[in-house]
Amino acid sequence: MRIVILGAPGAGKGTQGQLLSDYLKVPKISSGDMLRAEVAGGTKIGQEVKSIMENGGLVSDELISELIRKRISKEDCKNGYLLDGYPRTLKQAETLEKAGVIIDLIINIEISDEEIILRMSGRRSHPASGRVYHVQFNPPKDPNRDDLTGEPLIQREDDAEAVVGHRLQAYHQITAPLIQWYQQKQYPFISISGQGSVQEVQSNILNKLREQ
Ligand code: AP5
């Protein structure tokens, strides 16, 4: 199955994407994680995108589309994948469509801006795996340590309040129109409320998946 997860920053795309990836046994491909790995590795791409990401802007369509194109052509994507954070602009969605990629399902996670701000401020991340926690809503077993590896967790720089404002603006202006675009083109599409516990949201997604 090839699935696209849409939703505002902090809606729970990464959290639900990871659970779904384990359930469906297909890789979760997070454009944000891929870009953060480039930044951490100090690569040419990383140097190009670092300040854009720190300020909550969007990196160029060409750059991210090329990274995704290469990633989904790998062997582990043969039986499907989950795209988390891509596409994020109409141009990116068109690029995917023109490349002949058949998307089996779009999952749109809906959540209020107020809840997003709460979630971002308490998020802790494990950069190597992309696993995310929340100090209150989804705490790690050991404070500030990843459950599986025991490695330290970090707070993302772009989770600072001022940057979250820019990210939300970019979402509402540039990414949210994708919802209508996909619906008008009659892609298989489900909308899920992102409110409620991680488990509640997950079971709503799984119930809707079974109805498909
Ligand atoms: P990216 O990493 O994709 O960030 P994002 O879309 O802003 O999404 P997040 O990772 O912040 O949130 P999420 O929806 O995955 O939520 P999560 O599950 O972590 O992108 C970062 C940057 O890279 C962008 O700003 C841009 O610069 C660049 N970029 C990436 N892709 C790009 C593209 N295609 N084009 C151009 N630029 C691109 O959950 C958030 C928190 O809430 C966690 O703490 C979690 O534990 C908690 N939580 C989750 N679910 C629940 C729940 N049900 N109840 C309570 N807490 C919950």
Side-chain angles (χ1 to χ4, degrees), residues 74-118:
K74 292 200 169 160
E75 184 63 20
D76 65 336
C77 291
K78 221 176 47 187
N79 295 324
Y81 44 81
L82 279 147
L83 290 176
D84 157 14
Y86 183 94
R88 216 176 182 102
T89 66
L90 289 174
K91 181 92 186 292
Q92 293 174 19
E94 283 164 1
T95 301
L96 204 55
E97 197 177 62
K98 279 186 196 142
V101 174
I102 294 165
I103 299 297
D104 300 299
L105 184 64
I106 315 279
I107 301 176
N108 179 41
I109 305 182
E110 296 179 311
I111 184 177
S112 68
D113 286 4
E114 292 74 28
E115 179 74 14
I116 284 170
I117 290 161
L118 257 183

Side-chain angles (χ1 to χ4, degrees), residues 5-17 28 30-33 35-36 49 52-61 64-65 68 84-89 92 109 111 115-116 118-125 130-139 156 158-159 163 167 170-171 193-202:
I5 307 185
L6 291 178
K13 301 182 298 296
T15 303
Q16 295 301 330
K28 171 176 82 90
S30 157
S31 50
D33 285 349
L35 291 167
R36 280 184 287 278
V49 302
I52 300 172
M53 293 177 74
E54 280 171 359
N55 291 309
L58 296 181
V59 311
S60 87
D61 290 328
I64 191 67
S65 293
I68 294 288
D84 157 14
Y86 183 94
R88 216 176 182 102
T89 66
Q92 293 174 19
I109 305 182
I111 184 177
E115 179 74 14
I116 284 170
L118 257 183
R119 290 189 185 179
M120 302 286 212
S121 59
R123 172 164 50 190
R124 299 292 179 273
S125 312
R131 277 185 287 279
V132 286
Y133 303 85
H134 190 282
V135 288
Q136 186 186 348
F137 306 132
N138 183 23
R156 274 170 47 180
D158 62 348
D159 279 349
V163 184
R167 290 165 66 197
Y171 170 75
S193 166
Q195 304 288 145
S197 70
V198 170
Q199 289 71 23
E200 281 166 350
V201 177
Q202 185 194 21

